[in-house]
Amino acid sequence: LSLKRKERRIQRSNEIKVALEKKVNRHPNPWHQLHLNYMGAKGKTFTEEEDGFLIQMMHRHGYGNWEIIRQQIKKAWQFHFDWFFKSRNTVELQKRGDTLIKLVEKENEEIEAAEKAAINCASRKKKAGGGGGKD
């Protein structure tokens, strides 16, 4: 039981790493261009800049390294006067990180589904248009 749990944890960690990699690599300059699709989730307490920073830090330092990420937040010049963000503890950062991971995974799934649909549509058009000139 313990071994299976560890294997699931490792598998989940790898899934998160891949999801973050896809999200960050979609943007040539993620520090300035990384945006999140909040899917209508209004009333959030973190800003988009804070969320983007958390995604970058999870990507750089790895999901689960909350103390390192917390220290990076305290050092970041852009949050020098952001007492709310700088005062978050590791449990609060983990909770927000979990929410962001779910958003990133959902966004990745939607993008992959749209790309797959576009490929399928293009191949159907190619098949439909390609057979008429040989008769």
Side-chain angles (χ1 to χ4, degrees):
L1 183 71
S2 180
L3 182 60
K4 284 186 179 183
R5 188 176 301 148
K6 287 180 183 177
E7 287 174 349
R8 279 196 304 265
R9 189 174 292 151
I10 290 169
Q11 180 182 356
R12 181 66 182 137
S13 179
N14 288 335
E15 290 169 357
I16 290 171
K17 185 177 181 179
V18 168
L20 289 169
E21 190 76 24
K22 286 179 181 179
K23 174 67 176 173
V24 171
N25 287 339
R26 258 197 305 276
H27 306 281
N29 187 355
W31 288 106
H32 298 288
Q33 298 171 333
L34 190 137
H35 296 286
L36 286 167
N37 181 0
Y38 290 100
M39 320 226 177
K42 294 292 179 197
K44 58 188 178 51
T45 54
F46 289 81
T47 66
E48 189 168 359
E49 183 180 19
E50 293 164 346
D51 286 344
F53 189 83
L54 280 174
I55 289 172
Q56 294 283 4
M57 291 296 102
M58 287 188 288
H59 178 251
R60 178 178 287 173
H61 298 292
Y63 174 85
N65 292 315
W66 303 114
E67 184 56 36
I68 294 170
I69 293 170
R70 191 174 76 81
Q71 293 303 320
Q72 293 298 314
I73 291 167
K74 288 184 175 191
K75 292 178 188 176
W77 63 268
Q78 63 267 48
F79 305 114
H80 184 71
F81 295 109
D82 188 343
W83 303 112
F84 171 80
F85 196 41
K86 287 173 68 171
S87 68
R88 299 301 92 191
N89 63 39
T90 56
V91 173
E92 292 166 319
L93 293 175
Q94 178 181 1
K95 187 175 179 181
R96 186 60 184 172
D98 290 342
T99 299
L100 292 174
I101 291 298
K102 289 175 188 171
L103 287 172
V104 166
E105 288 176 327
K106 182 148 178 63
E107 182 179 315
N108 288 344
E109 288 171 7
E110 290 176 355
I111 288 170
E112 289 168 7
E115 288 171 351
K116 191 174 183 179
I119 290 169
N120 288 340
C121 182
S123 68
R124 272 189 250 125
K125 284 182 180 179
K126 198 174 193 180
K127 286 180 185 177
K134 293 190 177 186
D135 288 318

